[in-house]
Amino acid sequence: MESLSLPTLNPLLPSGSSLYRKQSSRMTSSMSSSVSFATGRTSLSTVRRSRVGVVKMQAVDEDIDLKQMRDMAAAKKRWDGLLREGKVKLLTPREAGYAIQLSNKPLLDVRPSSERNKAWVKGSDWVPIFDNEDNLDAGTLSKKVTSFAMGGWWSGTPILSFNKLFLSKVEEKFPKETELIVACQKGLRSLAACELLINAGYQNIFWVQGGLESAEDEDLVTEGSQPLKLAGIGGFSEFLGWTDQQRAQAAKEGWGYRLVFTARLFGVILAADALFLGAQQLGHYIQELRGQ
């Protein structure tokens, strides 16, 4: 596994990301300086050491960013090579649908549970290569809080971790000679899964280009509470209907679909207005109590 050097595919910024570390370093430096001034013990050497520490942390951040970029570029190069050499065969979602219905080829869904539970291809097998991080230890909670603050509240993208049992679970289900179709939501994680499977000895691997999100309604027989195109969205943006996938869906569904999200937007505005007025009334009430 380690030799594959799989890059971090989670789109949100974990607590180890450079942006988070830079903000943390600035906050730490600012807080330490404030305490020193308050106690009257600020010295030139302390300031110099603080600046040197910040510079070192920034240099480390740049090295980590550069390493992540190199890892991703190397992974893409490997994946392109697998496709170019024919070790992984390319299928469009429609071709995958034909292969499933006419040739009875199995479809391996490698999406995380947050996407799988919303919509899936009928009869597909599910083994996530990355799944939702459900641990409640301090490190995981810190990542979740950071991700939420850095945009997770809007996008709803969860913290994911690599599934160490991925290969063993696949091997339990499928022999090495199986003609296996591999798919994820957008087509990136499934390429990582294809590489793992090829290196494990599978020789008949098919990759769904663009992922399940690019499938049209008639391409695949699906089940679940939502269309496949909407399985990868979440957060407040999904609630308001402000994602590209929902805009495309609204163009098909018409005004009835749009009115639902318009009503939600007005509801949010009214709720915010009510909270603002309530806060004002509470402030006046507290002032009156103090005046007595």
Short mmCIF file of all heavy atoms in Angstrom, two decimals, residues 10 112-114 130-137 139-141 143-144 158-163:
data_model
loop_
_atom_site.label_atom_id
_atom_site.label_comp_id
_atom_site.label_asym_id
_atom_site.label_seq_id
_atom_site.Cartn_x
_atom_site.Cartn_y
_atom_site.Cartn_z
N ASN A 10 -9.01 14.11 -0.14
CA ASN A 10 -10.09 14.84 0.50
C ASN A 10 -10.00 16.31 0.11
O ASN A 10 -8.98 16.95 0.33
CB ASN A 10 -9.98 14.69 2.02
CG ASN A 10 -11.16 15.30 2.74
OD1 ASN A 10 -12.11 15.76 2.11
ND2 ASN A 10 -11.10 15.28 4.05
N PRO A 112 -17.50 6.88 -0.62
CA PRO A 112 -17.75 6.83 0.83
C PRO A 112 -19.23 6.66 1.13
O PRO A 112 -20.08 6.90 0.27
CB PRO A 112 -17.21 8.18 1.32
CG PRO A 112 -17.29 9.08 0.13
CD PRO A 112 -17.01 8.20 -1.05
N SER A 113 -19.54 6.28 2.35
CA SER A 113 -20.92 6.00 2.73
C SER A 113 -21.82 7.22 2.60
O SER A 113 -23.01 7.10 2.33
CB SER A 113 -20.97 5.46 4.16
OG SER A 113 -20.34 6.37 5.06
N SER A 114 -21.27 8.43 2.79
CA SER A 114 -22.06 9.64 2.70
C SER A 114 -22.64 9.83 1.31
O SER A 114 -23.70 10.46 1.14
CB SER A 114 -21.22 10.87 3.08
OG SER A 114 -20.05 10.93 2.27
N PHE A 130 -12.04 5.18 0.35
CA PHE A 130 -11.97 6.17 1.42
C PHE A 130 -13.36 6.24 2.05
O PHE A 130 -14.35 6.25 1.31
CB PHE A 130 -11.58 7.56 0.91
CG PHE A 130 -10.19 7.65 0.36
CD1 PHE A 130 -9.94 7.41 -0.98
CD2 PHE A 130 -9.13 7.97 1.19
CE1 PHE A 130 -8.66 7.48 -1.50
CE2 PHE A 130 -7.84 8.05 0.68
CZ PHE A 130 -7.61 7.80 -0.66
N ASP A 131 -13.43 6.30 3.36
CA ASP A 131 -14.75 6.38 3.99
C ASP A 131 -14.75 7.45 5.07
O ASP A 131 -13.70 7.95 5.48
CB ASP A 131 -15.15 5.03 4.59
CG ASP A 131 -16.66 4.88 4.69
OD1 ASP A 131 -17.39 5.81 4.28
OD2 ASP A 131 -17.13 3.83 5.18
N ASN A 132 -15.94 7.78 5.53
CA ASN A 132 -16.09 8.85 6.51
C ASN A 132 -15.32 8.52 7.79
O ASN A 132 -15.36 7.39 8.28
CB ASN A 132 -17.57 9.04 6.86
CG ASN A 132 -18.38 9.51 5.67
OD1 ASN A 132 -18.03 9.21 4.54
ND2 ASN A 132 -19.43 10.24 5.92
N GLU A 133 -14.62 9.51 8.29
CA GLU A 133 -13.85 9.36 9.53
C GLU A 133 -14.80 9.54 10.70
O GLU A 133 -15.26 10.65 10.99
CB GLU A 133 -12.74 10.41 9.57
CG GLU A 133 -11.84 10.32 10.79
CD GLU A 133 -11.09 9.00 10.86
OE1 GLU A 133 -10.09 8.85 10.15
OE2 GLU A 133 -11.54 8.13 11.63
N ASP A 134 -15.10 8.43 11.39
CA ASP A 134 -16.09 8.46 12.48
C ASP A 134 -15.48 8.41 13.86
O ASP A 134 -16.20 8.35 14.86
CB ASP A 134 -17.08 7.29 12.32
CG ASP A 134 -17.92 7.41 11.05
OD1 ASP A 134 -18.24 8.55 10.67
OD2 ASP A 134 -18.23 6.36 10.45
N ASN A 135 -14.15 8.38 13.95
CA ASN A 135 -13.51 8.36 15.27
C ASN A 135 -13.79 9.66 16.03
O ASN A 135 -13.96 10.72 15.43
CB ASN A 135 -12.00 8.16 15.13
CG ASN A 135 -11.66 6.79 14.58
OD1 ASN A 135 -12.40 5.83 14.76
ND2 ASN A 135 -10.53 6.70 13.88
N LEU A 136 -13.83 9.55 17.33
CA LEU A 136 -14.11 10.72 18.17
C LEU A 136 -12.90 11.12 19.01
O LEU A 136 -13.06 11.78 20.04
CB LEU A 136 -15.30 10.41 19.10
CG LEU A 136 -16.64 10.13 18.39
CD1 LEU A 136 -17.72 9.81 19.41
CD2 LEU A 136 -17.05 11.31 17.52
N ASP A 137 -11.70 10.75 18.56
CA ASP A 137 -10.51 11.17 19.28
C ASP A 137 -10.25 12.65 19.04
O ASP A 137 -10.85 13.27 18.16
CB ASP A 137 -9.30 10.33 18.83
CG ASP A 137 -9.06 10.43 17.34
OD1 ASP A 137 -9.70 9.65 16.59
OD2 ASP A 137 -8.29 11.30 16.93
N GLY A 139 -7.74 14.31 17.77
CA GLY A 139 -7.22 14.69 16.46
C GLY A 139 -8.30 14.75 15.40
O GLY A 139 -8.36 15.69 14.60
N THR A 140 -9.19 13.74 15.39
CA THR A 140 -10.27 13.71 14.40
C THR A 140 -11.26 14.84 14.64
O THR A 140 -11.71 15.49 13.69
CB THR A 140 -11.00 12.36 14.46
OG1 THR A 140 -10.06 11.31 14.22
CG2 THR A 140 -12.09 12.29 13.40
N LEU A 141 -11.60 15.07 15.90
CA LEU A 141 -12.53 16.16 16.21
C LEU A 141 -11.94 17.51 15.79
O LEU A 141 -12.66 18.37 15.28
CB LEU A 141 -12.84 16.16 17.70
CG LEU A 141 -13.72 15.01 18.22
CD1 LEU A 141 -13.86 15.08 19.73
CD2 LEU A 141 -15.09 15.04 17.55
N LYS A 143 -9.86 18.00 13.31
CA LYS A 143 -9.96 18.06 11.84
C LYS A 143 -11.38 18.42 11.42
O LYS A 143 -11.58 19.22 10.50
CB LYS A 143 -9.56 16.73 11.23
CG LYS A 143 -8.08 16.41 11.32
CD LYS A 143 -7.79 15.07 10.67
CE LYS A 143 -6.31 14.70 10.77
NZ LYS A 143 -6.05 13.39 10.15
N LYS A 144 -12.37 17.83 12.08
CA LYS A 144 -13.75 18.08 11.71
C LYS A 144 -14.14 19.54 11.98
O LYS A 144 -14.80 20.18 11.17
CB LYS A 144 -14.68 17.14 12.48
CG LYS A 144 -14.59 15.69 12.01
CD LYS A 144 -15.60 14.81 12.73
CE LYS A 144 -15.55 13.38 12.18
NZ LYS A 144 -16.55 12.50 12.81
N PRO A 158 -17.34 15.60 3.89
CA PRO A 158 -16.89 15.02 5.16
C PRO A 158 -15.38 14.79 5.19
O PRO A 158 -14.71 14.83 4.15
CB PRO A 158 -17.63 13.67 5.19
CG PRO A 158 -17.74 13.29 3.75
CD PRO A 158 -17.93 14.59 2.99
N ILE A 159 -14.86 14.55 6.38
CA ILE A 159 -13.47 14.12 6.54
C ILE A 159 -13.39 12.64 6.18
O ILE A 159 -14.16 11.83 6.70
CB ILE A 159 -12.99 14.35 7.99
CG1 ILE A 159 -12.96 15.83 8.32
CG2 ILE A 159 -11.62 13.73 8.20
CD1 ILE A 159 -11.92 16.60 7.56
N LEU A 160 -12.47 12.29 5.30
CA LEU A 160 -12.34 10.91 4.85
C LEU A 160 -10.99 10.33 5.27
O LEU A 160 -10.01 11.06 5.41
CB LEU A 160 -12.48 10.83 3.33
CG LEU A 160 -13.77 11.36 2.71
CD1 LEU A 160 -13.71 11.25 1.19
CD2 LEU A 160 -14.99 10.61 3.25
N SER A 161 -10.96 9.02 5.44
CA SER A 161 -9.71 8.33 5.74
C SER A 161 -9.61 7.08 4.86
O SER A 161 -10.63 6.51 4.45
CB SER A 161 -9.64 7.93 7.22
OG SER A 161 -10.72 7.08 7.56
N PHE A 162 -8.39 6.67 4.57
CA PHE A 162 -8.18 5.52 3.70
C PHE A 162 -8.67 4.25 4.37
O PHE A 162 -8.41 4.00 5.56
CB PHE A 162 -6.70 5.40 3.35
CG PHE A 162 -6.37 4.20 2.50
CD1 PHE A 162 -6.79 4.14 1.18
CD2 PHE A 162 -5.65 3.15 3.02
CE1 PHE A 162 -6.51 3.04 0.39
CE2 PHE A 162 -5.34 2.05 2.24
CZ PHE A 162 -5.78 2.00 0.92
N ASN A 163 -9.38 3.43 3.61
CA ASN A 163 -9.90 2.16 4.11
C ASN A 163 -8.82 1.09 3.96
O ASN A 163 -8.57 0.60 2.87
CB ASN A 163 -11.16 1.78 3.33
CG ASN A 163 -11.75 0.46 3.80
OD1 ASN A 163 -11.36 -0.09 4.84
ND2 ASN A 163 -12.70 -0.06 3.04
#
